[in-house]
Amino acid sequence: MKDIETREDIALLMREFYNRLLTDPAISYIFTDVAKIDLEAHLPHLTDFWELSVLHTGTYKKNVMQLHLDLNSKERLTNTHFDVWLGHFNQSVDDLFSGSNAEKIKTRALSIATIMKIKIHTA
């Protein structure tokens, strides 16, 4: 298996990851009913975020923490939500990629989820 090396790799990962999230009833409703995301419009932003986080390229400028604080004000994000999210994230990475960037993106996801949980639960 190859490592995550390009924006296209991250886009593939995000599509696989969100396909999993949107079919899991434990978390899918947050995206479909609460956030009401348009996946096709949302995927480029996700790809921008992770491209900047892992490959240090790209132009992501949004405040990801504020977006999730706003979402939490509509539907409380629980530890279970974060655990399900992280489980699907890691499984998606492991099914598609192997290498230092694959490990880096999983570590970043864990770090981001941990920080978000702390900030959301103390907000």
Side-chain angles (χ1 to χ4, degrees), residues 4-118:
I4 298 169
E5 298 169 346
T6 65
R7 177 179 177 81
E8 291 73 25
D9 292 339
I10 294 172
L12 172 66
L13 173 60
M14 290 300 104
R15 184 165 298 280
E16 174 65 21
F17 173 49
Y18 271 77
N19 285 340
R20 290 173 190 239
L21 289 175
L22 293 174
T23 59
D24 186 331
I27 199 167
S28 63
Y29 74 96
I30 291 174
F31 299 98
T32 58
D33 300 340
V34 180
K36 296 180 171 80
I37 66 163
D38 171 351
L39 186 59
E40 293 309 310
H42 194 53
L43 281 171
H45 299 292
L46 295 165
T47 301
D48 289 346
F49 175 81
W50 288 106
E51 179 184 14
L52 184 60
S53 296
V54 176
L55 302 177
H56 309 292
T57 57
T59 60
Y60 188 81
K61 302 250 189 265
K62 295 183 181 186
N63 182 337
V64 72
M65 188 66 232
Q66 189 60 54
L67 293 170
H68 289 83
L69 286 170
D70 294 345
L71 181 60
N72 185 66
S73 71
K74 296 177 187 174
E75 174 73 19
R76 187 171 185 280
L77 301 176
T78 67
N79 287 337
T80 300
H81 291 131
F82 283 102
D83 292 345
V84 168
W85 182 92
L86 195 57
H88 286 302
F89 192 93
N90 288 339
Q91 192 61 57
S92 297
V93 173
D94 290 343
D95 286 352
L96 295 170
F97 299 102
S98 177
S100 62
N101 283 337
E103 293 307 311
K104 181 194 291 186
I105 203 168
K106 291 189 296 183
T107 300
R108 293 264 164 89
L110 174 60
S111 175
I112 290 165
T114 302
I115 291 167
M116 281 192 182
K117 280 196 292 189
I118 291 167

